[in-house]
Amino acid sequence: MKTAIHDFGRKRRAARLALATSVLAFVVAGCLPVAGPRGPEVLNSSTRPEGVAVPYELINVNAGVAEALMARGDGDLAGTFTDRRPAQTTNIGVGDVIGVTIFEAAAGGLFIPEQAGARPGNFITLPDQTVGRDGTISIPFAGSVQAANRPLGQVQAEIERRLRQRAIEPQVVLATRDVRSNLVTIVSVTGGSQRFSPSAGGERILDAVARAGGPGSQGHDARITLVREGRTASVNFNTLVRSPANNIFVRGGDVITISRENRSVLAFGATGQNGTVRFDQERMTMADVMARAGGLLDERAEPSYVFLYRLESRGFVEDLRGAPLAHAERARVPVIYRFDFRDPSGYFLAQQVPMRDRDVIFIGNADGIEWAKFLQFLRLNMATVNEGIGTRNTIRNLSVGP
């Protein structure tokens, strides 16, 4: 029995040594469990992009930043497609059907016979010409004429030049009978999907939506997405209506989709309820989402460590910064917006900033929480050691006997 007690004493000393080692490791390495990055880490890592997996821009939200975010809303068509002019010219494309009419100044020429007096005019209309895969159309006595990727005027002039030595002062008029290239495609959940060619005067996104029968709902749950030349951007329908900058001109080759969206924001950290906050109205602000997520936990949250994670267009961030960004060139820039709710005006700013789909809100712990966690860890380990000491004393008393 004495040997058992001796062994237990040795194990107790080893347990105390292990406890001391663990405490030292936690203090030195900062290994206490946390739900996310500590506030100071978020603030400091933005100045050391080499120390994080994804370099980001940290922007403190003030009145100017809140006003810019409110003015922009949740739409970024204008930010992604900065050239908002209509297509300058509409070129002929492969598959287009072209009508050809040739006029001559007098009868007796190449196309108009001598007895043309009974005709309504000195012209001839050729069968409609379809632009072939090689991009050409065929004109009698002019041969194959390159038409694809050229405006109508250039093709007319080319045909006139080739006929000038044979016809009497020829004049050529081309007309597009059917456009089968450079079409805008609309795909709508309402069933109004179609393809159309933009008019010469230019048509805008809302014109295209109207062609498809509108959003098919009240608008706050409709999403308009534009795909152009490999780039994609989308905007809520009501935001599109209110923001003329997003109502850009469409161009041939554009693909526009009208879909239903279930917008949501993710909330993490020291909130009353971590999880997904879904939009049940057209516009929700930072303050709305925080309230629905349970607000800041009084016993954990640090009010100056409230962060909004979002991808922004590069141009918008550079406008906020007032200078070009230093890190890697890319169209979409990760941004962390910081709110300071220790400032009494912080909630006014939060009421102005609108949320966007898939935004992430993270509320950091107060610095004192880490110390409280450490003390709790210490108490648990000390309780384990004390329990062992109590067991040892019990064994010793049993061995001594009455």
Side-chain angles (χ1 to χ4, degrees):
M1 183 64 70
K2 290 183 178 180
T3 301
I5 294 173
H6 175 75
D7 290 341
F8 185 83
R10 179 167 53 81
K11 292 179 180 179
R12 182 191 64 180
R13 290 191 295 271
R16 286 177 174 173
L17 178 60
L19 174 61
T21 303
S22 299
V23 170
L24 180 61
F26 270 77
V27 171
V28 173
C31 294
L32 290 171
V34 292
R38 295 177 176 85
E41 293 172 349
V42 176
L43 302 182
N44 295 333
S45 294
S46 64
T47 60
R48 300 194 306 272
E50 69 282 355
V52 294
V54 180
Y56 58 87
E57 292 292 318
L58 178 69
I59 298 178
N60 291 313
V61 177
N62 54 31
V65 172
E67 183 177 355
L69 291 171
M70 181 172 59
R72 186 172 185 204
D74 72 342
D76 60 355
L77 289 185
T80 303
F81 304 105
T82 55
D83 185 359
R84 303 162 203 163
R85 299 171 299 173
Q88 298 301 304
T89 58
T90 302
N91 291 337
I92 300 171
V94 173
D96 290 351
V97 179
I98 307 298
V100 183
T101 303
I102 301 174
F103 291 81
E104 288 192 272
L110 181 63
F111 295 101
I112 311 302
E114 291 285 354
Q115 63 275 20
R119 294 173 58 85
N122 293 333
F123 66 87
I124 183 173
T125 299
L126 301 180
D128 290 344
Q129 300 292 305
T130 300
V131 181
R133 289 185 177 276
D134 60 354
T136 66
I137 57 176
S138 181
I139 305 297
F141 304 104
S144 295
V145 180
Q146 183 66 35
N149 301 318
R150 302 175 70 184
L152 287 174
Q154 285 187 12
V155 180
Q156 288 176 173
E158 175 72 12
I159 297 172
E160 290 173 0
R161 184 185 65 78
R162 295 191 184 190
L163 295 177
R164 193 166 293 134
Q165 301 301 321
R166 298 188 176 189
I168 301 174
E169 299 181 18
Q171 299 290 319
V172 178
V173 175
L174 300 185
T176 303
R177 304 291 192 204
D178 187 13
V179 177
R180 299 175 182 174
S181 66
N182 296 319
L183 297 176
V184 176
T185 301
I186 308 174
V187 181
S188 174
V189 296
T190 63
S193 303
Q194 60 175 283
R195 303 179 74 195
F196 71 94
S197 175
S199 64
E203 294 184 74
R204 296 180 180 270
I205 294 288
L206 282 176
D207 298 324
V209 174
R211 282 176 174 266
S217 67
Q218 295 180 352
H220 74 271
D221 61 346
R223 195 78 181 170
I224 313 300
T225 302
L226 171 63
V227 180
R228 174 184 294 172
E229 297 176 350
R231 292 182 297 169
T232 302
S234 62
V235 65
N236 180 266
F237 175 76
N238 286 349
T239 301
L240 177 62
V241 173
R242 290 194 308 267
S243 174
N246 283 295
N247 191 25
I248 62 177
F249 284 98
V250 298
R251 296 183 178 181
D254 285 354
V255 177
I256 300 169
T257 60
I258 306 172
S259 59
R260 295 284 178 272
E261 62 174 353
N262 294 315
R263 292 181 294 164
S264 62
V265 176
L266 304 176
F268 299 99
T271 67
Q273 181 178 356
N274 285 193
T276 301
V277 178
R278 301 196 179 278
F279 283 58
D280 57 4
Q281 59 193 42
E282 176 187 344
R283 183 179 183 273
M284 291 182 66
T285 65
M286 179 77 172
D288 292 328
V289 173
M290 288 182 58
R292 298 189 187 193
L296 280 66
L297 290 178
D298 187 55
E299 67 276 12
R300 280 182 51 196
E302 169 51 55
S304 65
Y305 293 160
V306 179
F307 304 106
L308 169 61
Y309 287 66
R310 175 181 291 177
L311 287 174
E312 294 283 16
S313 67
R314 186 179 187 85
F316 180 74
V317 179
E318 288 181 339
D319 287 343
L320 287 180
R321 289 291 196 197
L325 300 182
H327 51 77
E329 294 286 338
R330 52 177 176 257
R332 305 278 285 174
V333 179
V335 177
I336 299 179
Y337 294 101
R338 180 198 181 191
F339 291 79
D340 184 1
F341 288 148
R342 286 194 179 276
D343 181 346
S345 64
Y347 283 92
F348 287 113
L349 299 178
Q351 286 180 312
Q352 298 179 48
V353 176
M355 293 290 96
R356 285 162 51 180
D357 187 33
R358 310 312 295 172
D359 278 348
V360 174
I361 295 175
F362 177 74
I363 300 174
N365 288 337
D367 296 335
I369 292 299
E370 308 307 318
W371 177 245
K373 287 182 179 180
F374 170 72
L375 292 179
Q376 179 65 17
F377 166 79
L378 191 61
R379 282 195 296 269
L380 289 174
N381 281 272
M382 289 301 297
T384 301
V385 173
N386 290 333
E387 184 178 347
I389 294 174
T391 302
R392 182 207 61 179
N393 292 335
T394 300
I395 295 173
R396 177 181 293 175
N397 293 334
L398 290 174
S399 65
V400 173

